[in-house]
Every structure is written in structure tokens, then in C-alpha cells.
Amino acid sequence: MSSRNAILAAVKRNQPAALPLPEKEYTSARKGDIEKFSATLEGIGGKAYMLKEGEDVLAVISTIFPEARRVVSVDESMEIHYLKEHLTIVHHSLQDVDVAIINAQFGVAENGAIWVTEDDLKIRVLPFICEHLVAILDVNTIVPTMHEAYNRIGSAEYGFGVFIAGPSKTADIEQSLVLGAHGPKSMTVLIKSL
């Protein structure tokens, strides 16, 4: 027996007995926990805004970003800003997007993240190349933990998916926090309760 096989056999003989998995109740958050989601998102540099019944999303965005010149959306219902040419557009032409509006499939209360796939984004680079990211989230889709989030996406089919939690940030240099270093400077989640 080679020394490699002897070591592997010794490791195999000395493995601890299997233990049951711990209970998955790691957080006090619950399904649809808007308070926990909002507090966590704001703690990591994002902003949460609860849409009132009948409130116009574009009017809210105009109020939050009055200086925005180029606003694009992947939601066809926002016709004035809808990115119709998403199948043929040269991605570098999005370099001057001030505000990008996307729809989130669901949010996670414990870390303030949203989940999106390429079907939601139309263009993968869109949430990372814009100056300000706005995501629209249904309050009823907020799950308490990442465990439930992974249970939800584990059997789903998608080519590309990503959790986005707050604006881009880094503190690599002298531990000075910089927002928007590699992506959007801000992330606002508009939460609707339909």
C-alpha cells in the first residue's frame, strides 16, 4: 500500500460518527418580514421604500433620482423606459445608465438580498453597470433565511442567477468604505404589498 493510500485509509477509519443536521431556525425573521428585510438592507448601504397602494413607481423613482437622465427598465409595463432592444444592444452602450429598474423574484430577510436570474435581467450586466439600481419586490416573496432561499432556487432551472445585496462596496484600501467601487453607487428596493 502506498503512503497516500495508507493516509487516506487512516482518515477513513477515524472519521467521527455522523450527526443529525441542526434545526434551521437561525433567525427571528419570518416569511414576508419587511421590517427585518428593510433593516438589514439599510445596514449594508441599501434603501428600502414601501410603495403605497396605487402609488406610481416611476413617480417615486423620479422623486428619488431627480437628476437621472437615462433610466432603463426590463419591465415592459414601464414602456417609457423599457429596454426594447435588449436582444441586440451592445452592452457597452449601457455605460451611461443612471438608473436601472429590475424585478426581483424574491428577497431574503436575514441578509437583505434579492434574487434575480437572466430572465429577469434580460442583460446580465445591467444591475452592475448602472449608477443606481432599483429593484421591485413583492413583500409576499420575502423568505426569512438563505436556507429557504436555496430551497427555493435549488430545483429551479436558470442559466445565470445572482443574489444582490446592497450597492457595490469595498474597504480594501486602508479600511475606508467606498460605495460604488465596482458597480452601482446605490440600491433601492421598492417593496409592494399586492
Side-chain angles (χ1 to χ4, degrees):
M1 176 181 287
S2 70
S3 60
R4 176 183 176 273
N5 290 341
I7 292 170
L8 291 175
V11 169
K12 190 172 185 177
R13 278 191 313 272
N14 291 300
Q15 289 185 343
L19 297 174
L21 293 173
E23 295 295 323
K24 64 178 187 178
E25 294 299 326
Y26 300 112
T27 179
S28 60
R30 62 192 184 291
K31 183 173 181 1
D33 193 339
I34 186 171
E35 292 83 16
K36 176 76 174 176
F37 178 85
S38 299
T40 306
L41 177 64
E42 291 176 12
I44 58 174
K47 295 176 187 158
Y49 181 91
M50 189 70 191
L51 289 168
K52 298 171 187 73
E53 187 175 337
E55 193 169 23
D56 181 27
V57 170
L58 294 179
V60 170
I61 292 172
S62 295
T63 302
I64 297 172
F65 304 103
E67 304 292 323
R69 291 173 306 217
R70 187 173 181 198
V71 179
V72 298
S73 172
V74 293
D75 187 332
E76 291 183 50
S77 69
M78 296 180 198
E79 192 174 332
I80 191 171
H81 299 298
Y82 180 57
L83 204 52
K84 297 178 187 79
E85 67 277 18
H86 64 85
L87 292 176
T88 58
I89 195 168
V90 175
H91 294 179
H92 288 119
S93 69
L94 298 170
Q95 66 185 353
D96 62 346
V97 170
D98 294 311
V99 178
I101 307 166
I102 62 173
N103 289 311
Q105 287 189 17
F106 64 90
V108 185
E110 75 174 351
N111 63 3
I114 61 163
W115 170 256
V116 290
T117 66
E118 62 191 346
D119 290 337
D120 305 310
L121 300 174
K122 310 287 190 227
I123 300 171
R124 288 183 188 183
V125 73
L126 185 59
F128 310 107
I129 199 170
C130 61
E131 286 288 314
H132 305 282
L133 178 63
V134 174
I136 300 172
L137 175 69
D138 183 335
V139 68
N140 297 314
T141 65
I142 297 174
V143 298
T145 65
M146 286 299 288
H147 292 274
E148 293 193 33
Y150 279 113
N151 282 339
R152 187 171 171 157
I153 65 174
S155 60
E157 288 191 25
Y158 50 86
F160 170 81
V162 63
F163 287 100
I164 302 175
S168 169
K169 51 192 155 298
T170 184
D172 289 350
I173 301 171
E174 297 181 5
Q175 298 181 342
S176 176
L177 180 62
V178 177
L179 296 179
H182 308 291
K185 292 178 180 172
S186 74
M187 177 179 175
T188 303
V189 178
L190 303 182
I191 303 169
K192 59 183 181 180
S193 59
L194 300 176

